[in-house]
Amino acid sequence: MIVLGVILLVVGFVTGISVLWTIGIILAVIGAVLWLLGSMGHAVAGHRHYW
C-alpha cells in the first residue's frame, strides 16, 4: 500500500493531476500506520503482522 501511494504521488506530481496526488498521500499514510501497528505486535485485520 505504501508503494502504491508513492507511485500515485509521483504520477500525480509529474502529470499535475491533484486527485492522484491526494489519493497517493492517503494510501501512503494508511500503509505507514498499518505497518507501524503490525511491527509493534498489534493484530491488524486478524493478522499478527501486516505486509
Side-chain angles (χ1 to χ4, degrees), residues 11-31:
V11 170
F13 181 73
V14 169
T15 60
I17 301 173
S18 62
V19 174
L20 290 179
W21 178 259
T22 305
I23 293 172
I25 290 173
I26 292 169
L27 286 178
V29 168
I30 291 173

Side-chain angles (χ1 to χ4, degrees), residues 33-46:
V33 167
L34 290 175
W35 179 42
L36 285 174
L37 285 175
S39 67
M40 290 189 311
H42 293 282
V44 177

